Amino acid sequence: AGRSPALHCPAAGVSQVTVRDALNQALDEELERDERVFLLGEEVAQYDGAYKISRGLWKKYGDKRVIDTPISEMGFTGIAVGAAMAGLRPVCEFMTFNFSMQAIDQVINSAAKTCYMSAGAIAVPIVFRGPNGASAGVAAQHSQCFAAWYGHCPGLKVVSPWSSEDAKGLLKASIRDDNPVVMLENELLYGVPFEMSEQAQSKDFVVPIGKAKIERQGTHVTLVSHSRPVGHCLEAAAVLAKEGVECEVINLRTIRPMDIETVEASVVKTNHLVTVEGGWPQFGVGAEICARIMEGSAFNYLDAPAVRVTGADVPMPYAKILEDNCIPQVKDIIFAVKKTLNI
């Protein structure tokens, strides 16, 4: 699931790259490009990263640029934020975003608010990155999506990649940005290969923060998603196409600032909207999209109420069958599309 929909023979200059390798490439290139960039977190150095994202970087760049920290998110996040205020460009890895809650004061009160509170005098160019949302078989304390949590807070930029191209381009853009950026990756995508063009593999490639991407053109219904569920939306769109329903699939890429213009333009064209996310329903990303559409001119083009497909409104269960029923599946998206189209 989440696999690239086009696993045919790649075109010239196109190769298959996993999300893990794309992130590793981005870190390597940015560490090389700017000596102010450094990586810190649990097991990022000598162990090559808990998920092998930083593989080979400690050997290449040494102790000053790739730093193993104690298991203390509050401590190493504070160090990273201070380093950013002093002119460095830290990349702070959380082994899982669930434990960024240990450092939420540093992320929100220190990183997100300082530029505003200093009237622009103090920039905090820092990237907080790591796996977000549900993995597999790790129960409630390792399985919540933080897109809505961090997307709620002014002062932060929040990005959520799906493909290898998203991952590489957004990480490079985030490291180069002068604002604090939260990058929400997905552990289950790390090993998934996607096609990457020669251009996407160049050292100059970045994906602009705040711009969504239309992954599939369609005319009947707009599907808006981010992270792993984008793959589910594409799978659902392929099934529905056989029944004559053409879905337009939008990969948000960025949660904050949100590219609502791309969503509005699509709704004007399709007259129907379904949002899909792994997070909880209340105050979620889909809820925000629905509210923004309702408040704007695209609302007049809707032929039916917008429908949200979300995670179940419970802490994540441990049992596999319950876990599967808590996370949006392809069948749930198909059901939502048919509901909104009244078919």
Side-chain angles (χ1 to χ4, degrees):
R3 190 169 291 276
S4 170
L7 291 180
H8 48 262
C9 297
V14 173
S15 43
Q16 295 276 332
V17 179
T18 64
V19 171
R20 174 182 287 109
D21 289 342
L23 290 165
N24 180 265
Q25 231 176 69
L27 286 169
D28 189 7
E29 288 169 11
E30 294 305 302
L31 282 160
E32 185 178 62
R33 175 180 173 272
D34 188 341
E35 62 182 16
R36 296 171 298 172
V37 175
F38 71 99
L39 174 64
L40 80 167
E42 296 151 357
E43 297 185 349
V44 297
Q46 295 185 38
Y47 188 67
D48 278 344
Y51 303 98
K52 302 296 177 255
I53 303 297
S54 51
R55 186 178 56 236
L57 299 180
W58 174 67
K59 281 185 180 150
K60 184 171 178 181
Y61 295 101
D63 288 327
K64 282 194 172 175
R65 306 287 303 283
V66 185
I67 303 166
D68 277 330
T69 66
I71 302 174
S72 173
E73 283 78 9
M74 189 183 293
F76 69 74
T77 307
I79 288 167
V81 172
M85 289 176 180
L88 297 178
R89 304 186 84 88
V91 178
C92 178
E93 178 180 306
F94 296 119
M95 197 184 287
T96 157
F97 253 98
N98 298 271
F99 296 114
S100 71
M101 290 200 81
Q102 298 286 330
I104 207 154
D105 181 58
Q106 284 77 3
V107 176
I108 306 300
N109 279 328
S110 299
K113 297 177 183 176
T114 295
C115 183
Y116 182 86
M117 291 177 72
S118 68
I122 304 171
V124 189
I126 185 170
V127 179
F128 304 102
R129 55 153 296 271
N132 169 69
S135 178
V138 291
Q141 290 181 336
H142 294 73
S143 296
Q144 64 245 50
C145 174
F146 279 80
W149 294 71
Y150 288 121
H152 181 62
C153 302
L156 290 177
K157 293 185 178 181
V158 183
V159 299
S160 180
W162 167 58
S163 66
S164 300
E165 183 182 298
D166 292 351
K168 181 179 180 187
L170 286 170
L171 181 51
K172 286 172 74 77
S174 299
I175 291 170
R176 295 179 190 189
D177 202 288
D178 286 333
N179 299 281
V181 183
V182 172
M183 180 154 170
L184 304 169
E185 301 154 14
N186 188 291
E187 182 189 334
L188 297 176
L189 288 174
Y190 283 154
V192 177
F194 289 86
E195 288 184 0
M196 271 183 91
S197 65
E198 211 167 335
Q199 179 204 0
Q201 292 183 67
S202 82
K203 291 187 177 182
D204 302 319
F205 178 74
V206 292
V207 167
I209 293 172
K211 193 81 193 86
K213 182 186 178 191
I214 297 173
E215 297 286 351
R216 179 186 176 117
Q217 297 281 348
T219 51
H220 295 130
V221 61
T222 300
L223 296 177
V224 187
S225 190
H226 66 95
S227 190
R228 188 165 171 255
V230 173
H232 296 348
C233 287
L234 288 167
E235 287 177 44
V239 172
L240 286 159
K242 292 174 185 167
E243 300 179 31
V245 176
E246 291 299 330
C247 302
E248 183 143 296
V249 178
I250 297 176
N251 172 9
L252 275 179
R253 284 181 161 176
T254 306
I255 306 301
R256 184 184 189 103
M258 188 179 280
D259 181 5
I260 206 69
E261 293 78 18
T262 295
V263 179
E264 283 180 328
S266 181
V267 168
V268 167
K269 180 168 77 168
T270 68
N271 311 115
H272 298 90
L273 173 65
V274 174
T275 67
V276 185
E277 64 190 302
W280 294 313
Q282 191 156 322
F283 312 113
V285 175
E288 175 65 18
I289 293 166
C290 291
R292 298 274 278 274
I293 291 298
M294 193 174 77
E295 289 168 351
S297 58
F299 175 73
N300 298 313
Y301 291 84
L302 280 176
D303 287 343
V307 175
R308 292 179 294 158
V309 179
T310 70
D313 199 16
V314 295
M316 181 61 69
Y318 175 67
K320 185 173 189 325
I321 189 163
L322 295 176
E323 179 182 81
D324 288 345
N325 280 289
C326 275
I327 303 168
Q329 308 290 335
V330 173
K331 64 180 172 54
D332 302 318
I333 300 167
I334 292 169
F335 178 81
V337 168
K338 289 184 173 180
K339 178 182 172 185
T340 193
L341 292 174
N342 199 25
I343 54 176

